Each structure stands twice: as C-alpha cells, then as structure tokens.
Amino acid sequence: TTARTARLRVWRGDSGAGELVDYEVEAHEGEVLLDVLHRLQATQCPDLAVRWNCKAGKCGSCSMEINGRPRLSCMTRMSTLPLDEAITVTPMRTFPVVRDLVCDVSYNYEKARQIPSFTPEAGTEPGDFRMMQQDVARSQEFRKCIECFLCQDVCHVIRDHEENKEAFAGPRFLMRVSELQLHPEDTADRRAISQDEFGLGYCNITKCCTEVCPEHIKITDNALIPLKERVADRRYDPLVWLGSKIGLR
Ligand code: F3S
C-alpha cells in the first residue's frame, strides 16, 4: 500500500490551557483519521488523549472536529481530506475539555435524566398493545442514534452560549421528547415541558444537527418540526386558549 505523510494540527492541552501542535504522520491507503491518530499515539505522543471504542461508527465515542467540522474520526477517510494542507483536529467545542481531544459530555447525560420516561396507560402489560408499522418505524429512526453528540456540538443555540445550556436540551434530547410525544401508547402530554423545560423554542430549524448526524437521522424534519407543530396546536388553538382563559383546563 502507498503511504503518504499527513500533516496534523492537533489541539493539545487540558481544561486550563492548550494549543495547536503540528505533527507529521504516515497515512496509509484506505485509512481513516482515527488510524492516523493511533499511529501518532504509537510513534510520537503516547500521552495523546483520544476517546474511541468500536472503530465502526456505532459507539459514538470518537467525536471531534476535523477542519472545524463535527465528525466521527473513525468514519472520516483520509482520502476525503485535503492532504496538501494541515488537517486541524480539535475537541468538540460545545463541551468542556478534559484533555486533548477528550471532552466532558456529562451535560448530555444530565439532560437525558430530566426527560420523564415512557408512560403507558396504568396496568398495561407487555404485549397488551399493538402499534401501526408507521409508528414503529418513526421510533426506529430516532433509535438509530448512537449518542455521538455531534448534533449537540454543532447546534448554535449552545455552541457558543454556555448560558443557554440550562434551558436547552439540544437536538438529541428534543428528539427523544418528540419520540415519546408522537408515541401512540404514551399517555403523558409532553408539549408544555418541551417548551418550558427543554427549550424547544430556542431551535430555529437551522438543520445543522441533521447535517452532521452520522446515522442520517432527519432530526429536524422528523422530530423537531413535528414536535413544534404539536406545541403550536396547543398554544394557538383558539378553543384551547379560550378554555384556559375561562378555567376549563
Ligand atoms: Fe439546533 Fe438543530 Fe434546531 S442545530 S437550532 S436543534 S434544527
């Protein structure tokens, strides 16, 4: 196989300070960026921190920013990157850095914990309900999520706005709320919490989340917009509005 020399400009540092450091590393035909980072680790900097696990685009661990774009390094072929210039490799910008390319993504787990779980009718036993295939398919699309958090990283609402993190759950978790809201057997009304607790109104449908999803989930079109439509129905339906005003609800 033919080997080339790749120039990597890698962010090295910790939560206190860091800088971009240039390296020259061999890159072999057919390799992905994660292979080259592993070679860098093996040959030049054994202390380089990089999180990874499956190397098959399914564990969601090796998220980072490659030439400024949120991507999985195990799914980024070297042949797709311009090799005549340095490739910039930086940690996800939206989350605090632990060291080098490793971030603290615990924000996401906090948001996940806040979502009230699936709530079927009381007394429902396994096998009690049947679902239409189209309802099953909708959930299945959302459940392809590998929790790489690239959508959370790219969304402008929190990318440079630490102050919005409290009020905004991010596309991955608004998608989860949407999945439950659209689920025919879920009895909880999640429209109010979508807006009030998870910040659905902050999303202005830029679709950047959909663009970076390695599972090609149509986050904006299939999860966020349908959830917004249901929230709007509730808020602007004149009868519901009148009912709420005269105390019927
Ligand atoms: Fe953010 Fe996606 Fe909405 S990137 S603004 S959650 S469409």
Side-chain angles (χ1 to χ4, degrees), residues 6-9 33 66-67 78 81-83 85-89:
R7 285 193 292 138
L8 301 187
R9 182 162 292 165
L33 179 68
I66 303 165
N67 287 339
M78 292 302 288
L81 298 169
L83 275 196
E85 49 195 82
I87 300 160
T88 306
V89 188

Side-chain angles (χ1 to χ4, degrees), residues 154-157 168 171 202-209 220 224:
V154 82
C155 178
H156 70 96
V157 176
F168 186 64
Y202 284 78
C203 163
N204 54 352
I205 325 185
T206 58
K207 301 198 183 189
C208 310
C209 49
T220 322
L224 305 185

Side-chain angles (χ1 to χ4, degrees), residues 75-220:
M75 298 302 281
T76 303
R77 288 197 170 275
M78 292 302 288
S79 58
T80 64
L81 298 169
L83 275 196
D84 46 339
E85 49 195 82
I87 300 160
T88 306
V89 188
T90 47
M92 286 192 284
R93 183 159 111 193
T94 300
F95 311 113
V97 168
V98 176
R99 197 160 63 83
D100 302 336
L101 300 174
V102 173
C103 300
D104 174 0
V105 293
S106 51
Y107 158 81
N108 299 290
Y109 301 119
E110 278 159 33
K111 294 297 170 185
R113 266 196 296 274
Q114 289 163 11
I115 300 173
S117 57
F118 176 58
T119 315
E121 198 108 32
T124 306
E125 297 294 333
D128 270 3
F129 56 76
R130 295 284 181 274
M131 281 167 68
M132 300 281 285
Q133 184 53 36
Q134 71 193 59
D135 291 323
V136 174
R138 192 192 302 115
S139 285
Q140 276 175 338
E141 182 193 9
F142 302 156
R143 279 167 176 267
K144 288 193 303 181
C145 175
I146 58 172
E147 300 213 309
C148 61
F149 303 132
L150 291 176
C151 62
Q152 303 283 93
D153 178 45
V154 82
C155 178
H156 70 96
V157 176
I158 45 175
R159 185 165 171 86
D160 288 306
H161 297 281
E162 193 61 34
E163 72 278 10
N164 287 343
K165 283 189 178 171
E166 174 86 29
F168 186 64
R172 193 272 169 266
F173 298 103
L174 287 168
M175 177 172 86
R176 173 68 180 149
V177 176
S178 184
E179 182 193 339
L180 292 165
Q181 179 63 38
L182 302 178
H183 195 296
E185 297 295 333
D186 185 79
T187 58
D189 185 348
R190 298 164 193 272
R191 290 174 297 177
I193 57 167
S194 307
Q195 205 75 355
D196 304 340
E197 289 173 40
F198 299 111
L200 181 64
Y202 284 78
C203 163
N204 54 352
I205 325 185
T206 58
K207 301 198 183 189
C208 310
C209 49
T210 302
E211 271 170 39
V212 299
C213 178
E215 285 290 327
H216 308 292
I217 303 170
K218 294 203 166 57
I219 305 171
T220 322

